[in-house]
Amino acid sequence: MAKIVRLDPLGQETSVTTNDHVLSALLKNELTVLQECGGRGMCATCHIFITEGMEQLSPISRREQRTLGAITTSTITSRLACQCRVLGNGVVVEVPAGMYLGDMNEIESLVGRRADENILHPLDGRILVEKGKLITRSMISQLEVTRSDVVTHLAHSKLV
């Protein structure tokens, strides 16, 4: 049976099948979610806040707790969309402001322009480029190192 999930601040409601991940609701609404770790709960690219209905979601796993513990913007309402399953109605999801580092070509095309929104680190959620700040070539090299850190982290996580 379908459950209704509300996405804020978008003000959209969407239905998901019972026991589907919140990530399904985000993707269904064509929101860009990187899923850097492939939905295994090891990166922060699907970090969300649950403003209502936390009890309508599956419990937090140890892996999700570890990942949330490393995210600098994590709060008691934080979850990873790829890890929490919708069990009942009344879940309200707040998508964090900002975008996570995606394709390097995408970032390179923005050099010389101001960031439309914060660009966030995919492992810990910290802000790499603040909204309104100029994106420079030196920022590109910092982002490339970050991308390498993510690959290393995920490779190490597969071994654990």
Side-chain angles (χ1 to χ4, degrees):
M1 181 157 68
K3 304 297 182 206
I4 302 299
V5 174
R6 192 171 85 222
L7 306 175
D8 281 343
L10 308 172
Q12 296 176 342
E13 286 191 350
T14 189
S15 64
V16 295
T17 305
T18 300
N19 217 27
D20 267 0
H21 292 102
V22 171
L23 182 59
S24 299
L26 299 177
L27 295 175
K28 190 175 187 179
N29 282 275
E30 299 177 6
L31 295 175
T32 303
V33 182
L34 286 183
Q35 310 166 61
E36 192 69 35
C37 70
R40 294 188 321 261
M42 293 187 281
C43 72
T45 56
C46 69
H47 174 228
I48 55 173
F49 300 103
I50 306 299
T51 56
E52 291 179 37
M54 186 71 86
E55 67 283 353
Q56 300 300 326
L57 298 172
S58 60
I60 296 177
S61 68
R62 287 166 70 186
R63 174 178 282 171
E64 185 178 5
Q65 283 178 328
R66 272 196 312 271
T67 301
L68 289 172
I71 302 172
T72 58
T73 56
S74 181
T75 69
I76 60 169
T77 65
S78 290
R79 291 296 304 262
L80 298 178
C82 70
Q83 296 298 298
C84 56
R85 295 180 182 276
V86 180
L87 305 176
N89 285 314
V91 176
V92 179
V93 175
E94 180 184 332
V95 181
M99 63 176 265
Y100 286 103
L101 173 63
D103 184 5
M104 287 308 299
N105 295 328
E106 183 181 309
I107 300 298
E108 283 192 44
S109 71
L110 298 176
V111 170
R113 295 166 66 189
R114 299 206 177 267
D116 291 335
E117 53 189 325
N118 292 336
I119 298 176
L120 309 173
H121 189 288
L123 290 178
D124 61 22
R126 71 184 147 86
I127 297 172
L128 293 172
V129 181
E130 289 181 38
K131 179 180 179 176
K133 297 287 184 179
L134 192 64
I135 301 171
T136 63
R137 287 242 174 255
S138 62
M139 190 61 64
I140 296 297
S141 62
Q142 179 187 349
L143 295 176
E144 286 172 343
V145 168
T146 297
R147 187 74 163 165
S148 174
D149 291 346
V150 171
V151 170
T152 302
H153 172 77
L154 294 176
H156 174 71
S157 295
K158 288 178 186 174
L159 299 174
V160 175

